[in-house]
Amino acid sequence: MNRVYNFSSGPAQLPYDVLVKAQAELLDYNSTGMSVMEMSHRSAAYKEIIENAEKNLRKLYNISDDYAVLFLQGGASLQFAMIPMNMTKIGSADYIDSGYWSAKAIKEAKKFTNVRVVCSTKDENYNRLPDFEGIKFEGDYVYMTSNNTIYGTEFKKYPQTGDIPLIADMSSDILSRKIDVNNFGMIFAGAQKNIGPSGLCVAIVKKSLIGNAPENTPIMLDFKTHSENGSMYNTPPTYGIYIAGLVFEWMLANGGIDAIEKINAEKAALIYDFIDNSSFYTNTIPAADRSLMNVVFKTSDADLDKKFAKEAAANGLISLGGHRAVGGLRASIYNAMPIEGVHALIDFMKKFEVDNK
Ligand SMILES: Cc1ncc(COP(=O)(O)O)c(C=O)c1O
């Protein structure tokens, strides 16, 4: 077996220990004589799996009973529509436009509510975060993307929105550092970066915000349906939730969010320090806006960037090409990327610089 270090923005590398556990349990989960994939979602064994996954996520983020934890389908993208469908009362919402994914959310929300884009760095190709200081928020909710996967920027603090619920797409930085869930109306994340397999979307929703969807809302798109049925109105993505549960267990066994946050900061600092001290690689994001999850960088030449990604892959460091919207290179270093992977990347960067200077 020759496992690679996978720097993909998602689906991303999973913790090795989680894969080993899933492998050991693949054919016979806990003496049931079957795989979790083959198991009825109504069985006692599965009930325990989904309940433990929820319990452990609550423990990791200290989530109170004021919030529902929902395991949804349709990835993070379905939330771009579900949010305005479920949260519209006044008929307008404030959106912070910080990148590709918030732009997509804005486009979708416009079908259901009046969108006010309160700040944006679109004109600067999202190469820094927009400034929300001093904005007087209004409407049904304030929407933001906490980490901009493609542009490599991440909000380290969140807007104070008072009584207006703050909704954050945390797809690419959920569970990477401490947050106070109580400051949010809703947090959601596609699972495929810090949680588990794609398709699954984990949502943490303030219960007081559930139950406001119009009568004609399709039943599967109403938060109430999922909240009232323990995310089992229909057959949930059972295996994805099982893996998510193993990831939450892995995090708890490794010191929880505090420990993960520390190591994530260490990993990101190693790469940024290396880039900042190099005359060969650059990252032009203002230091305060830099993402700890997605490190974007480039050489002086687009062809050299391509050569870098190709040669890195041949050396077991895969998916380092930047998103087509920005080009260059990107190292996604989510929770499951071990520090050894970061050291291996930096060693490769050094060698590539010597060979191509
Ligand atoms: C911040 C962010 N939001 C949303 C999405 C879309 O997620 P999905 O493919 O699960 O719909 C992504 C995917 O990379 C993302 O990075």
Side-chain angles (χ1 to χ4, degrees), residues 9-10 74-78 80 101-102 143 145-150 169-172 188-193 198-201 334:
S9 58
S77 298
L78 187 56
F80 300 165
W101 294 107
S102 31
Y143 182 100
T145 311
S146 58
N147 182 75
N148 300 288
T149 326
I150 292 171
D169 172 358
M170 290 198 183
S171 292
S172 48
F188 70 97
Q192 64 271 25
K193 300 154 199 305
S198 59
L200 172 66
C201 176
Y334 300 118

Side-chain angles (χ1 to χ4, degrees), residues 207-312:
K207 286 179 182 163
S208 58
L209 298 174
I210 298 175
N212 301 317
E215 282 282 299
N216 65 350
T217 305
I219 196 147
M220 282 294 288
L221 302 185
D222 189 336
F223 289 134
K224 192 165 151 222
T225 306
H226 302 286
S227 161
E228 283 182 345
N229 291 282
S231 301
M232 292 227 250
Y233 169 74
N234 73 329
T235 319
T238 51
Y239 201 75
I241 295 168
Y242 157 71
I243 297 287
L246 293 185
V247 171
F248 301 151
E249 269 175 28
W250 169 81
M251 287 187 70
L252 286 168
N254 285 281
I257 301 276
D258 285 355
I260 292 276
E261 176 172 28
K262 203 160 154 269
I263 184 100
N264 282 338
E266 205 179 316
K267 287 182 321 194
L270 280 170
I271 308 187
Y272 284 123
D273 285 350
F274 175 74
I275 293 170
D276 290 343
N277 287 313
S278 149
S279 53
F280 189 77
Y281 302 100
T282 51
N283 166 298
T284 53
I285 308 288
D289 294 353
R290 285 172 166 178
S291 168
L292 300 195
M293 297 283 100
N294 310 98
V295 180
V296 295
F297 60 99
K298 52 172 122 175
T299 66
S300 56
D301 177 79
D303 286 336
L304 204 51
D305 291 340
K306 286 200 183 83
K307 186 175 179 217
F308 178 102
K310 198 166 164 223
E311 287 184 14

Side-chain angles (χ1 to χ4, degrees), residues 3-16 19 191-196 247 250 316 318 332-339 341:
R3 282 186 58 80
V4 292
Y5 288 119
N6 180 2
F7 292 92
S8 168
S9 58
Q13 180 158 335
L14 279 165
Y16 183 75
L19 294 175
Q192 64 271 25
K193 300 154 199 305
N194 266 341
I195 296 178
V247 171
W250 169 81
I318 72 153
S332 297
I333 47 169
Y334 300 118
N335 291 350
M337 173 60 66
I339 200 152

Side-chain angles (χ1 to χ4, degrees), residues 141-161:
Y141 58 87
V142 177
Y143 182 100
M144 71 184 301
T145 311
S146 58
N147 182 75
N148 300 288
T149 326
I150 292 171
Y151 297 93
T153 59
E154 182 178 23
F155 288 98
K156 310 296 180 325
K157 54 185 179 101
Y158 304 106
Q160 303 290 318
T161 59

